[in-house]
Amino acid sequence: RDTSKGLKVRVEAIAAPSLIRLSSLGPFEVQCGGETIPDRTWRTQRTRYLFAYLGYEWGRAVHEEILLDALWTDNETPDKKGLYWSTSAIRRIFRGLGFQSEVVERVGETLRSNPNVSIWHDVNVLEAHFASAQQASDKGDSERAKAELRAALEVYRGPYLEGCYLDWALRRRQDLERQTADAALQLAQLHLDTGEHREAVEAARKTLTLEPARQEAHLLAMKALMDGGRPEAAIDQYHECEKMLRQHYDTEPETVM
């Protein structure tokens, strides 16, 4: 009995990828089977950004008019044929990688990423850590809150869709930056509360990498430096705060200590 056909089917089923990894924090990257899809494979930036948009809320149907508005700038004429071309390009890419079902589906006048395809998305992981940290804080479990906040900061490797300046990407980028800055500041306060001065300074300065003129982060860092026996460094931090506030808001820092 010829078993070669059955064997081939079984081998293909085993070899077929089962997970897509999306990295949207920093430069956008998509991985399957441990390999990153090269930029040239997407053919156009618009195709990459279409997949990034659909990947943000995996499985949610998005009307094509919303996608046209999102992916074509004010200086361009929205082009349904271009949208269909990008959709077909995405399907070809993932069929070529061995996916048995369409990764992007059309449902009426909407498009959605296939909810039956498994994904790992760094944005989802980041937001899950934020939520877990909030739950831990609500229960008074500061150590678990610290662990979740530290994990969130490790996941955040850069601005959402770095290099993309479409309006929806900028809004998401700002929201995620603000949430991450808040998380770093919360972590700094938790470290300060337990006398971990060096860790408090590091976390406060993580906030300042995202929001350089955020006065409460400067003040918290100064407090941690003073309490940790580093008054000269606290004075330097004050001068940095003064510089940033003058540069961004033409104002002076509040008096502390």
Side-chain angles (χ1 to χ4, degrees), residues 124-185:
N124 293 342
V125 175
L126 180 75
E127 292 176 336
H129 285 308
F130 290 156
S132 295
Q134 185 59 56
Q135 290 172 1
S137 293
D138 291 343
K139 294 177 180 178
D141 188 347
S142 62
E143 289 306 313
R144 183 180 162 224
K146 285 182 194 176
E148 292 292 347
L149 292 167
R150 282 194 296 266
L153 297 181
E154 288 176 5
V155 172
Y156 189 88
R157 66 189 182 102
Y160 175 78
L161 287 193
E162 189 172 18
C164 178
Y165 298 100
L166 295 168
D167 288 345
W168 57 272
L170 292 173
R171 287 193 297 271
R172 291 176 183 174
R173 184 178 305 158
Q174 290 166 359
D175 286 345
L176 290 168
E177 282 185 354
R178 177 184 49 78
Q179 291 177 63
T180 304
D182 288 347
L185 191 61

Side-chain angles (χ1 to χ4, degrees), residues 204-215:
R205 286 177 174 168
K206 175 64 176 178
T207 295
L208 294 170
T209 64
L210 299 169
E211 298 180 0
R214 187 156 178 176
Q215 185 169 194

Side-chain angles (χ1 to χ4, degrees), residues 75-100:
N75 298 325
E76 299 173 316
T77 302
D79 178 12
K80 282 191 178 182
K81 288 184 178 179
L83 181 62
Y84 299 156
W85 185 92
S86 290
T87 304
S88 297
I90 291 170
R91 289 172 169 171
R92 285 194 300 272
I93 288 169
F94 287 100
R95 279 200 297 266
L97 291 170
F99 282 82
Q100 303 300 308

